[in-house]
Amino acid sequence: DAKTTQPNSMESNEEEPVHLPCNHSTISGTDYIHWYRQLPSQGPEYVIHGLTSNVNNRMASLAIAEDRKSSTLILHRATLRDAAVYYCALAGAGSYQLTFGKGTKLSVIP
Amino acid sequence: DTAVSQTPKYLVTQMGNDKSIKCEQNLGHDTMYWYKQDSKKFLKIMFSYNNKELIINETVPNRFSPKSPDKAHLNLHINSLELGDSAVYFCASSHLGGGILANGYTFGSGTRLTVV
């Protein structure tokens, strides 16, 4: 299975944009890129996913590199409620599973 | 309405005991999963069931036995519990189309298992 690599931690000031990177250099052509976030003492929560094109939803934007070997989750204005661990994950065709990275702990400074 | 619910939320038990964790989803999804999250917060898949059929069984000790009585339920039974089984166990569900996970998982809130 393809692996993902993320920074262990990042900090952001409140109301500033946040760019969370993920490397997935061994991604295959049919792997979807997913992002989840986990608040303390809660289960992971789906944020966004994509295959090749950039994606936007009410929570975030996903920018996918042209070669698909990396992606960036963009939170447009960080709030204190966005402090969480953000996981990048890949879902391979026919693999019936998500393979998670180790996650980035995002701290938001008031 | 809770989409994926797990019980119990906390489970403290002695080594050697047998315990079960229950999971139910009301989303109409056809695939359910068990993930284990260790103390370093790493999420690793244990089992995956599609339409009640086991499709993924990762390298998990055979003391762990999942059971899916119907598409909405996936329970996890653990025999002869060991200290190393202490972790948070998450149930999740999704809909698979053609074997491709094109949409997100919905996770339960987790069961924190502590073996003493």
Side-chain angles (χ1 to χ4, degrees), chain A residues 20-81:
Chain A
L20 295 160
C22 180
N23 286 322
H24 27 78
S25 57
T26 59
I27 192 170
S28 73
T30 54
D31 284 347
Y32 281 80
I33 302 159
H34 284 241
W35 283 82
Y36 288 75
R37 72 179 186 180
Q38 187 174 23
L39 299 171
S41 300
Q42 293 189 24
E45 174 190 24
Y46 168 77
V47 177
I48 201 166
H49 78 279
L51 184 60
T52 54
S53 303
N54 294 344
V55 184
N56 300 301
N57 67 20
R58 63 174 182 82
M59 290 181 74
S61 296
L62 174 60
I64 301 173
E66 197 169 331
D67 64 5
R68 298 199 344 115
K69 293 186 176 183
S70 65
S71 61
T72 303
L73 179 71
I74 303 165
L75 307 178
H76 296 287
R77 287 179 70 231
T79 70
L80 297 178
R81 289 177 297 176

Side-chain angles (χ1 to χ4, degrees), chain A residues 1 30 32 34 36 38 41-46 49 85 87 90-103, chain B residues 9 31 33 35 37 40-43 45 48 50 55-56 58 90 96 98-105 107-109:
Chain A
D1 289 332
T30 54
Y32 281 80
H34 284 241
Y36 288 75
Q38 187 174 23
S41 300
Q42 293 189 24
E45 174 190 24
Y46 168 77
H49 78 279
V85 178
Y87 292 96
L90 300 180
S95 69
Y96 292 87
Q97 69 179 71
L98 270 173
T99 301
F100 285 84
K102 295 187 176 181
Chain B
K9 191 169 176 66
T31 307
Y33 312 83
Y35 273 78
Q37 186 170 47
K40 295 183 179 178
K41 304 297 185 185
F42 184 54
L43 279 159
I45 190 159
S48 173
N50 177 253
I55 51 175
I56 288 178
E58 287 294 301
F90 287 101
L96 288 185
I100 297 174
L101 178 60
N103 295 299
Y105 279 16
F107 280 84
S109 57

Side-chain angles (χ1 to χ4, degrees), chain B residues 46-115:
Chain B
M46 301 174 68
F47 302 103
S48 173
Y49 271 73
N50 177 253
N51 289 316
K52 302 195 303 174
E53 298 293 325
L54 178 66
I55 51 175
I56 288 178
N57 182 350
E58 287 294 301
T59 309
V60 177
N62 58 14
R63 298 181 295 102
F64 290 77
S65 53
K67 281 192 171 50
S68 182
D70 55 57
K71 287 197 303 183
H73 295 84
L74 180 61
N75 303 321
L76 183 64
H77 187 75
I78 315 168
N79 290 327
S80 303
L81 278 154
E82 300 177 358
L83 292 176
D85 298 331
S86 296
V88 181
Y89 292 85
F90 287 101
C91 178
S93 72
S94 71
H95 180 73
L96 288 185
I100 297 174
L101 178 60
N103 295 299
Y105 279 16
T106 303
F107 280 84
S109 57
T111 296
R112 181 175 293 277
L113 172 65
T114 304
V115 182

